[in-house]
Amino acid sequence: MIPGVLTVAGSDSGGGAGIQADLKTMLALGVHGMSVVTAVTAQNSLGVQGAWELPVEAVRAQYRSVVDDIGVQAVKTGMLASAELVEAVAELIAGTDAPAVVDPVGVSKHGDALLAASALDSVRTKLLPAATVATPNLDEVAQITGVQVESEREMRGAAAAVLEYGPRWVLIKGGHLPGDAVDLLTDGSEEHWLRAPRHDNRHTHGTGCTLASAIASGLAKGRSVPEAVAAAKEYVTGAVAAGFALGGGIGPVDHGWRFRGDV
């Protein structure tokens, strides 16, 4: 039986991030992707031109429809624009017997806000405690905890600050730092540093969504958190290296890079 993974996130009309990136990643990694759409965006390589969140009732109905009939082996969350959506989704995943990967999306690759400031407290007190793995980038760490990270050695303190809110594991993504792309995975006792060469490629739209979905796919297959994260890092590194120009701005990573004969 192919494991099923449910993404709870916003739609990216340009196909580079959000629900679309999640489902492409899941297909590439051999799991069955399912979706709960939390918001619709008008989005392309240049930015987000508009966003409209769905009612909480619609989000809850989608979730229950999938989980109660089909079941899930892992859940991944992405864009949850409002406090009401954050709290509803946190309650849903806390009541689901499956690992949950929480990508606390705050802003888009282009700097567009995707989370209301009023929702931050709900992320801290409701969503993060329900997470098996939380995957904030450095901007999201600062947004959630107030901790500013400007060097690799400061990532350990950032991880500790996020863990205080209750996720079992946290993956601090250091992609915004200079040098190699280095991430820190920890549960507060064991640490795993993941490094990859930085590719000279600006087409990196959707990296966060893709990484979180890849981790959820690994967990759905029964891998441990460190195993799932290491495999996801490898997949995303290849997707970034093969990223392609799309439109006039920042293009997406290539979710199908492993299937292309010229890569």
Side-chain angles (χ1 to χ4, degrees):
M1 184 117 180
I2 297 176
V5 181
L6 179 62
T7 170
V8 184
S11 168
D12 174 0
S13 56
I19 289 280
Q20 288 82 353
D22 297 339
L23 295 176
K24 292 174 187 177
T25 299
M26 293 168 192
L27 178 63
L29 296 179
V31 299
H32 174 62
M34 300 168 285
S35 62
V36 171
V37 180
T38 61
V40 175
T41 68
Q43 188 172 170
N44 55 26
S45 69
L46 300 174
V48 179
Q49 291 78 47
W52 301 267
E53 66 182 76
L54 269 67
V56 169
E57 305 80 48
V59 170
R60 187 178 287 114
Q62 291 175 80
Y63 192 100
R64 290 262 61 95
S65 179
V66 171
V67 173
D68 293 348
D69 173 47
I70 302 169
V72 294
Q73 280 66 60
V75 180
K76 175 261 176 186
T77 72
M79 178 184 175
L80 305 174
S82 66
E84 292 77 14
L85 280 176
V86 170
E87 292 176 12
V89 171
E91 180 182 357
L92 288 165
I93 64 175
T96 303
D97 185 20
V101 180
V102 169
D103 185 17
V105 176
V107 296
S108 75
K109 181 72 68 178
H110 306 88
D112 303 290
L114 299 176
L115 180 71
S118 59
L120 279 172
D121 192 54
S122 297
V123 170
R124 298 181 187 107
T125 62
K126 304 291 186 183
L127 189 61
L128 289 177
T132 306
V133 189
T135 64
N137 63 30
L138 299 185
D139 289 338
E140 290 155 356
V141 167
Q143 194 177 30
I144 293 167
T145 70
V147 174
Q148 301 283 343
V149 176
E150 297 180 356
S151 67
E152 183 178 316
R153 62 182 177 80
E154 294 174 326
M155 292 174 68
R156 189 175 280 119
V162 176
L163 285 171
E164 286 187 8
Y165 291 110
R168 286 174 49 201
W169 292 82
V170 61
L171 178 67
I172 303 295
K173 300 180 293 191
H176 294 173
L177 295 175
D180 287 348
V182 58
D183 305 325
L184 170 60
L185 173 70
T186 181
D187 64 353
S189 58
E190 60 179 280
E191 288 185 353
H192 302 268
W193 291 88
L194 299 99
R195 299 178 185 277
R198 187 176 300 278
H199 296 282
D200 185 17
N201 178 7
R202 68 188 177 91
H203 301 300
T204 56
H205 184 49
T207 48
C209 306
T210 300
L211 180 65
S213 293
I215 295 169
S217 298
L219 295 176
K221 293 177 178 179
R223 290 175 173 164
S224 68
V225 170
E227 290 170 340
V229 172
K233 173 83 169 179
E234 179 185 5
Y235 170 72
V236 170
T237 299
V240 169
F244 54 91
L246 190 71
I250 299 173
V253 302
D254 184 356
H255 298 95
W257 67 272
R258 285 177 171 165
F259 309 126
R260 312 214 190 278
D262 59 347
V263 176

